[in-house]
């Protein structure tokens, strides 16, 4: 299994230092929350999008949201770039507003194929433990071919998805850097690669250390530790993506 960050959006604060070697390209539109949206480049390399000038008086006027683009999340120097952006723009890190963590596999550890798990769930051969409101996407042919199983909604603080990532890349947009990461990790790219992904919104996510009982806040400092990232992924899986055989 390859575990990776697939979305990283930070809450920061400060007056942006614009004389720093980075280039800002202002977009013609804002968002429902911010008046100003800019793309951030270092030379010709696209690094992140930057939202500033909040519309609401409830927010601190110096609030800045930074979302690192997907390609950067698969770079081995991701957190060097995160540190450099915060330092160069003179912004104070306050927390993570959205974090997606993905685990990519060909099959589960016990040999079960991800599509088989969805089939068994949809026919109630397996029951999910805990919150069960969700959706499934499929193609109907000679049989039902499931592609996605999602639990949670757009407003859920934590939602999870199991989906055919290979098919998504073929159908929507090929991202060679993701395929390269699969090859480097030993995944079989001749077969479909499936993704189990957890999407977390809000900046109050904690990982409970089982050996000590300590609650550790998830932040940009401990996420750069591969062991911590792995522990966080399996903790989320245990809480939000567990199944049982009915009656057992």
């Amino acid at each position: 299994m390859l575990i990776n960050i697939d979305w990283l959006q930070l809450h920061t604060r400060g007056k942006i230092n614009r004389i720093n070697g980075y280039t800002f390209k202002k977009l013609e539109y804002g968002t429902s929350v911010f008046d100003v949206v800019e793309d951030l480049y270092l030379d010709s390399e696209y690094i992140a999008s930057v939202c500033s000038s909040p519309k609401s008086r409830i927010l601190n006027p110096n609030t800045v949201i930074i979302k690192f683009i997907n390609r950067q999340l698969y770079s081995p120097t991701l957190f060097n770039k995160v540190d450099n952006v915060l330092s160069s723009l003179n912004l104070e890190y306050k927390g993570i507003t959205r974090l997606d963590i993905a685990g990519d596999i060909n099959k589960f550890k016990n040999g079960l194929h991800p599509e088989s798990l969805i089939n068994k769930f949809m026919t109630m051969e397996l029951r999910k433990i805990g919150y069960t409101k969700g959706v499934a996407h499929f193609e109907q042919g000679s049989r039902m071919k499931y592609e996605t199983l999602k639990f949670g909604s757009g407003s859920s603080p934590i939602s999870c998805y199991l989906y055919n990532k290979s098919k998504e890349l073929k159908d929507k947009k090929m991202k060679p850097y993701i395929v390269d990461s699969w090859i480097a990790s030993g995944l079989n790219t001749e077969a479909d690669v499936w993704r189990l992904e957890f999407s977390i919104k809000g900046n109050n996510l904690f990982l409970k250390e089982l050996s000590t009982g300590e609650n550790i806040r998830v932040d940009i400092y401990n996420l750069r530790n591969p062991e911590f990232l792995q522990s966080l992924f399996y903790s989320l899986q245990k809480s939000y993506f567990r199944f049982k055989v009915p009656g057992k």
Side-chain angles (χ1 to χ4, degrees):
M1 174 183 282
L2 172 65
I3 298 175
N4 205 83
I5 296 170
D6 195 65
W7 191 295
L8 182 62
Q9 183 172 289
L10 307 182
H11 171 202
T12 69
R13 191 173 294 170
K15 292 184 178 181
I16 298 175
N17 171 32
R18 296 180 179 276
I19 307 173
N20 52 36
Y22 286 88
T23 301
F24 295 81
K25 293 186 179 180
K26 186 177 179 181
L27 305 186
E28 295 180 356
Y29 55 85
T31 71
S32 59
V33 181
F34 293 92
D35 278 326
V36 179
V37 178
E38 298 168 288
D39 288 338
L40 185 69
Y41 290 81
L42 184 59
D43 298 324
S44 60
E45 184 181 11
Y46 184 20
I47 303 292
S49 63
V50 180
C51 297
S52 60
S53 300
K55 298 176 179 179
S56 173
R57 294 183 179 180
I58 297 174
L59 293 176
N60 185 296
N62 291 327
T63 297
V64 179
I65 302 297
I66 302 175
K67 175 185 174 293
F68 289 85
I69 69 162
N70 192 253
R71 176 184 290 274
Q72 298 296 345
L73 304 181
Y74 290 82
S75 166
T77 60
L78 167 64
F79 286 103
N80 290 335
K81 294 177 180 179
V82 170
D83 294 341
N84 287 338
V85 167
L86 296 180
S87 174
S88 298
L89 272 60
N90 196 30
L91 295 173
E92 178 187 3
Y93 167 74
K94 303 299 289 186
I96 297 172
T97 58
R98 179 172 165 183
L99 173 69
D100 289 6
I101 301 178
D104 294 337
I105 57 172
N106 293 120
K107 293 182 179 180
F108 290 109
K109 188 177 180 180
N110 63 0
L112 180 66
H113 193 277
E115 188 182 354
S116 297
L117 183 142
I118 301 176
N119 271 303
K120 289 177 181 292
F121 174 75
M122 297 301 290
T123 57
M124 301 188 75
E125 293 179 60
L126 292 175
R127 302 292 297 271
K128 183 176 179 294
I129 299 172
Y131 185 74
T132 54
K133 188 173 182 179
V135 296
H137 297 134
F138 57 87
E139 283 187 3
Q140 179 181 322
S142 58
R143 66 178 182 87
M144 295 293 285
K145 189 174 182 180
Y146 288 100
E147 298 170 357
T148 306
L149 181 62
K150 174 185 175 183
F151 296 104
S153 66
S155 60
S156 301
I158 298 179
S159 52
C160 63
Y161 314 74
L162 176 66
Y163 62 101
N164 187 330
K165 187 66 178 178
S166 293
K167 187 175 188 305
E168 184 199 60
L169 293 180
K170 292 173 186 174
D171 291 350
K172 294 184 178 180
K173 182 181 179 181
M174 181 53 65
K175 298 177 179 178
Y177 55 89
I178 291 182
V179 177
D180 289 343
S181 72
W182 291 346
I183 295 171
S185 69
L187 286 170
N188 178 10
T189 55
E190 297 299 316
D192 283 342
V193 176
W194 287 69
R195 172 166 287 188
L196 177 58
E197 182 170 318
F198 299 94
S199 182
I200 305 119
K201 299 180 180 71
N203 58 5
N204 287 311
L205 179 65
F206 291 84
L207 173 65
K208 187 169 187 177
E209 176 56 57
L210 296 179
S211 60
T212 64
E214 178 186 5
N215 283 323
I216 305 170
R217 187 181 181 187
V218 177
D219 58 35
I220 59 171
Y221 306 109
N222 48 37
L223 278 178
R224 61 191 75 198
N225 180 344
E227 292 182 1
F228 182 88
L229 186 65
Q230 178 175 297
S231 295
L232 178 60
F233 178 86
Y234 283 115
S235 177
L236 290 164
Q237 180 267 312
K238 185 176 181 181
S239 297
Y240 296 97
F241 201 79
R242 276 201 303 160
F243 297 82
K244 66 177 181 179
V245 177
K248 296 186 180 180

